[in-house]
Amino acid sequence: MKFNFLQKQSSRREMLRGSATLAGSVFLAHLFPARLLRASAAGYRQPAPSPADLLASMRAKFNAVPMETQELADNVVMFDGPGGAVTVLNGPDGKFVVDTFVAPAWPRLKEALDGLGSAPVKYVIDTHWHFDHTDNNAPLHAAGATILAHQNTKQRMSEPHDQPVLYRGSDGALHDLHFDASPAEALPQQTFAASYKLQANGETLLLQHLAPAHTDTDVYVHFQKANVIQMGDTFFNGMYPYIDPGTGGKIDGMIAAADTILSLARNDTKIVAGHGPLGNKADLTKSRDMLVTARDRVQKLKSAGKSAQEAVAEKPFADLEPVWGKGIINGDQFVQVVYLAL
């Protein structure tokens, strides 16, 4: 078998298959022992992991991350760990939960929520459709919560998705992650098209849809009194972000999302990233500036007729790599992400 991020593509369609879901592929080297990623000395070729095994392993890898609790305001806390960040508004009117971690983390998430007090979970807000943010919708809904999200999130979750990883087995074929359509009990029961407002526990939560950025389903959640903004995966703090062009992601939208939040945020605003540590306006500004630089450099190469692989070979992010290349995507992979998300 071979594991190759830079397989040459003969068409845009094939390139999309080879690059569309780096969020899955970048974990493979960590999820499977090295012996599964190479032929043995005797020439035996190990079968490629099945899509179900890949997805289960991704969930397990996320779940291995410890969960940490950080108080953001008197009645707002952040649980950080197995699948990004979960933000909770807590009080006598109930708990309002933003994002839900991966499915194997459910016992820990339930314990953490129960530890905040006896008030029930009233609402769950999905910042977008990806599984690491929606996996525990169903048990929370079963406990009485209403799932609230943008209308595109419900649509995406209602559909099966085959998302290629950059993994080629001994048969030379790409092997996909397969997502079944979510069960009915996991789908948002309440949706909105542009914006939505909730008032509870002395707080106002403003939910606003963003132009296609990480996906075409993204919303941010502004806890206005607490001065906290949850950006979901439109903000990866301190690392290259993943952008999902297969479900509408655009790098210009990522930059526009950053500009929107920067216009709302004060210097002391706490900005919750989809992945990475709790951020602030200065962190988001650095991320936004990196995105602009990355977009402009890749656009120049693409406009010059370079393929994605030729753009990678130019190493346009060599100077960015020491700062931004320590997350789930490295610079070569991010070149391909940006190329497709232009």
Side-chain angles (χ1 to χ4, degrees):
M1 283 187 273
K2 58 185 177 180
F3 185 72
N4 188 355
F5 285 107
L6 303 177
Q7 284 288 337
K8 187 167 181 64
Q9 312 289 340
S10 61
S11 67
R12 175 170 174 80
R13 181 178 178 183
E14 192 176 6
M15 181 176 67
L16 282 164
R17 279 186 56 83
S19 303
T21 308
L22 285 160
S25 66
V26 295
F27 291 108
L28 290 181
H30 303 287
L31 297 177
F32 294 96
R35 63 184 175 81
L36 295 180
L37 298 177
R38 63 177 182 265
S40 71
Y44 175 72
R45 291 188 179 274
Q46 187 79 18
S50 71
D53 287 342
L54 290 176
L55 186 55
S57 296
M58 287 177 66
R59 285 187 163 108
K61 184 69 175 180
F62 275 126
N63 192 46
V65 178
M67 184 186 298
E68 299 179 355
T69 301
Q70 187 169 352
E71 184 175 303
L72 305 185
D74 288 342
N75 58 352
V76 179
V77 298
M78 179 181 75
F79 303 135
D80 187 33
V86 171
T87 309
V88 184
L89 170 69
N90 182 43
D93 296 328
K95 300 182 181 86
F96 294 71
V97 179
V98 183
D99 289 340
T100 69
F101 290 146
V102 291
W106 168 242
R108 284 189 289 162
L109 178 58
K110 183 180 186 301
E111 182 181 11
L113 290 170
D114 289 346
L116 296 178
S118 60
V121 178
K122 295 293 292 293
Y123 273 89
V124 170
I125 300 165
D126 295 332
T127 60
H128 63 291
W129 80 272
H130 284 159
F131 75 95
D132 51 321
H133 298 258
T134 62
D135 254 2
N136 289 305
N137 280 6
L140 286 163
H141 177 56
T146 297
I147 312 299
L148 173 63
H150 188 262
Q151 59 192 18
N152 289 354
T153 294
K154 183 173 184 178
Q155 180 64 38
R156 294 296 189 185
M157 291 179 68
S158 300
E159 303 166 341
H161 294 274
D162 287 298
Q163 296 187 316
V165 296
L166 299 183
Y167 175 87
R168 288 189 182 273
S170 58
D171 58 0
L174 286 166
H175 295 273
D176 295 351
L177 283 175
H178 177 77
F179 295 90
D180 291 326
S182 297
E185 57 269 23
L187 298 176
Q189 292 86 47
Q190 196 168 331
T191 63
F192 61 95
S195 62
Y196 197 89
K197 185 179 289 187
L198 291 167
Q199 292 182 305
N201 300 323
E203 178 63 271
T204 297
L205 282 70
L206 178 64
L207 287 60
Q208 184 69 48
H209 182 232
L210 295 158
H214 175 64
T215 67
D216 62 9
T217 70
D218 303 310
V219 302
Y220 69 83
V221 182
H222 189 184
F223 300 78
Q224 294 182 326
K225 182 178 178 181
N227 192 27
V228 172
I229 301 173
Q230 161 67 293
M231 289 185 65
D233 281 1
T234 61
F235 180 31
F236 283 56
N237 191 13
M239 65 187 83
Y240 297 124
Y242 175 65
I243 305 170
D244 182 358
T247 55
K250 299 288 184 184
I251 190 166
D252 281 342
M254 291 288 286
I255 295 166
D259 287 338
T260 294
I261 302 308
L262 289 171
S263 72
L264 295 173
R266 307 194 302 256
N267 289 337
D268 61 345
T269 300
K270 296 179 175 69
I271 303 177
V272 180
H275 298 275
L278 180 68
N280 55 31
K281 191 169 185 176
D283 296 323
L284 182 57
T285 299
K286 292 175 185 176
S287 179
R288 187 257 182 208
D289 291 346
M290 178 274 293
L291 291 173
V292 171
T293 298
R295 178 198 61 190
D296 291 350
R297 290 179 182 179
V298 176
Q299 182 65 72
K300 183 177 180 180
L301 293 168
K302 190 172 185 178
S303 296
K306 302 283 188 182
S307 69
Q309 286 67 43
E310 289 168 338
V312 169
E314 296 282 340
K315 299 293 182 185
F317 302 156
D319 58 323
L320 303 177
E321 192 71 4
V323 174
W324 300 98
K326 299 175 182 178
I328 63 174
I329 293 176
N330 66 33
D332 288 349
Q333 295 154 11
F334 192 51
V335 172
Q336 296 183 72
V337 167
V338 175
Y339 192 98
L340 292 171
L342 285 167

